[in-house]
Amino acid sequence: MDITQRQITKIAREVGKFTVRTVKAEGVGTAEFDLIHAVRKNPGITQSEICAILGTDKGAVAKQTANLEAKGYLRREANPADGRSQLIYPTEKAQSLKNSKAHIEALFYEWLAEALDGEERAEFARLLDVLYRRCKSESKAGFPEMTARVEERE
């Protein structure tokens, strides 16, 4: 039984709604945020590699990449290893967009934590760090524990 009642997910979803609404003025949608994030984490990536990371089809990635390039968030360079493909890089505008998204999320979480007193905030942060480290470790390992649990239920 899930004692958390998926409240971490629910909080993150609400923060996401607010963040998207706030940065929508910059003309970037949720899927475009994901693509910009993939390029920021992997500068010099190809569209095929973006498709693999995002699990999205080539047509959608090509359209989003072209739109983001036109808006000044991405730039392309010829791929010296393969004349048929291009390498995609984030621009400074993409870097500042990420920073503004992170800033908005941080403000929201700061506001949310104001409901706790200082001691509660410190304990909450400590416990959250324990869960985050466990989650990150599982992710880096390729999700073996979670895959086994899902397969047990099938």
Side-chain angles (χ1 to χ4, degrees):
M1 181 163 102
D2 176 20
I3 62 167
T4 71
Q5 299 178 342
R6 297 182 47 250
Q7 288 178 327
I8 294 169
T9 301
K10 292 172 186 175
I11 291 169
R13 187 178 303 131
E14 298 305 322
V15 172
K17 284 182 197 176
F18 177 74
T19 302
V20 168
R21 181 189 330 170
T22 303
V23 297
K24 193 173 187 177
E26 297 195 48
V28 177
T30 306
E32 290 176 323
F33 269 125
D34 293 341
L35 194 146
I36 289 170
H37 181 73
V39 174
R40 284 188 67 257
K41 292 291 184 181
N42 304 280
I45 192 171
T46 65
Q47 283 188 183
S48 295
E49 292 167 328
I50 293 171
C51 291
I53 289 170
L54 299 179
T56 310
D57 65 80
K58 286 183 179 183
V61 168
K63 183 178 177 182
Q64 290 172 346
T65 302
N67 286 340
L68 290 168
E69 186 177 16
K71 293 175 186 177
Y73 292 102
L74 302 178
R75 66 180 174 80
R76 299 174 197 249
E77 291 182 11
N79 185 347
D82 178 3
R84 297 170 299 171
S85 68
Q86 295 178 320
L87 303 178
I88 303 166
Y89 294 89
T91 63
E92 284 302 314
K93 189 174 181 180
Q95 301 291 9
S96 67
L97 179 64
K98 185 271 175 191
N99 291 336
S100 67
K101 182 181 180 214
H103 177 71
I104 292 164
E105 290 169 344
L107 286 174
F108 196 105
Y109 287 123
E110 286 172 16
W111 168 82
L112 196 58
E114 287 173 3
L116 305 173
D117 68 30
E119 192 173 302
E120 290 170 331
R121 267 188 244 162
E123 181 63 3
F124 176 72
R126 187 189 70 75
L127 294 171
L128 196 57
D129 187 59
V130 169
L131 297 178
Y132 173 75
R133 289 175 189 270
R134 179 176 168 94
C135 178
K136 195 64 174 176
S137 175
E138 178 71 0
S139 174
K140 284 184 177 183
F143 300 102
E145 297 278 337
M146 291 311 307
T147 300
R149 288 181 186 212
V150 168
E151 288 173 355
E152 284 175 10
R153 296 201 175 179
E154 292 178 350

